[in-house]
Amino acid sequence: MRSDLTWTDYIVRGGLPHTARKLERGEPVTVAFIGGSVTVGAGASDPGKTGYRALLADYLRRTYPRSEFAFVNAAIGGTDSTYGAFRLKAHALDKASVDLLFVEFAVNDAGDKEASVRAMEGIVRRTMRTGPTTELCLLYTANETGVARFAEGGVPANIVHHEMVAERYGLPSVCLARAVARIIGAGDMRWSDFSRDSVHPNDRGHRLYADYLEAFLSRVLTKTGDDNGGTEAADLPPPLDPFCYERGELAIPNGSVHAPGWRELPGWSADRVCNWKPPADIVLGDEPGAPLVLRFDGTAAGIAFLAGMDTGSIEVAVDEGPYRTVELFDRYCTQFYRPKAVVLADGLPPGSHTLAIRISENKHADSTGRSLRLLYGMVNGSFLGWE
């Protein structure tokens, strides 16, 4: 274990007293991870053994042998905190009664303050409302650009945005990016020693992350404090953003889509894929014309889909208003099919709304088709149905 973790690399704030107390008693503990490709283990020679998440799990089992551990992996490569907020319930909180949730999205968020705070605060508030004793720890992993920013004396914008949420809710955070920057700045390591690209750690990098997290946990888990049962929903402070995605959830089709021009395809597969493993149950829309309508009660809605070579453009309308075109095809679509999520209606007044989606006649010049391969609808509120 490294011994040079400094106070500038982490902030304890409220700590992890509930988890510490359960470990002290030798009780079962469930640890969940939600994040992007770094948490999946990308860059490691064997993500299930040499990725930081796997190494940290080994450390916990080894250090606390009286406790039985369960681990939930809710990481999806290439995804940001916005998709994380909408899928948190289905992919993590519904899987088990989580004691400790690690959240890692700092390198994937796009630098938009409103989007990052709205999503990260949604993750935090949804978690606290679901399990009042569930504790969270925010992780800020490194990319080459962020390391350069620290070297200049600054802090990457996404970390600043996430720290606003951590401060608001008294959450511990570990800035792995700052630790990496300090080592590189001291001349003890080059970026190329840590990663083969601009983001993903190699085995040495994942080991470094795990070492720092072990050092952090060895300190914070020794401070059990008073086990007051956590924070009740009524005790949560007012949100930083009243439109945060604290009621985010996935609207799964499950045989309920019957709109003309749209059809459910269970077990769809593709050869060139990234960040998911075929098959997947999808709803395919590839005929311009009739809309698929998502009905919901809440303040925001969107879609998660598999973007790829034949992804087209869509037209969307909120509450029977005018349609606007949304381009779904991007520079990665020519290479493979991958999960992608977009919010199509946001900041709506609370209440019942509709989001209509139809395939556009027009498409990106590089797309081979006009398809939308829908995985889920996303709503910040209650899903009312498809029509």
Side-chain angles (χ1 to χ4, degrees), residues 61 64 99 114 151 170 207 214 218 243 253 276 312 358 377:
R61 292 190 187 100
Y64 302 98
D99 296 294
E114 180 177 82
R207 179 70 266 178
E214 290 171 18
S218 72
F243 294 105
W276 67 288
R358 68 187 185 192

Side-chain angles (χ1 to χ4, degrees), residues 326-339:
V326 177
E327 180 58 74
L328 301 180
F329 193 91
D330 59 32
R331 61 193 178 98
Y332 298 107
C333 287
T334 59
Q335 304 173 46
F336 37 63
Y337 286 94
R338 77 188 200 284

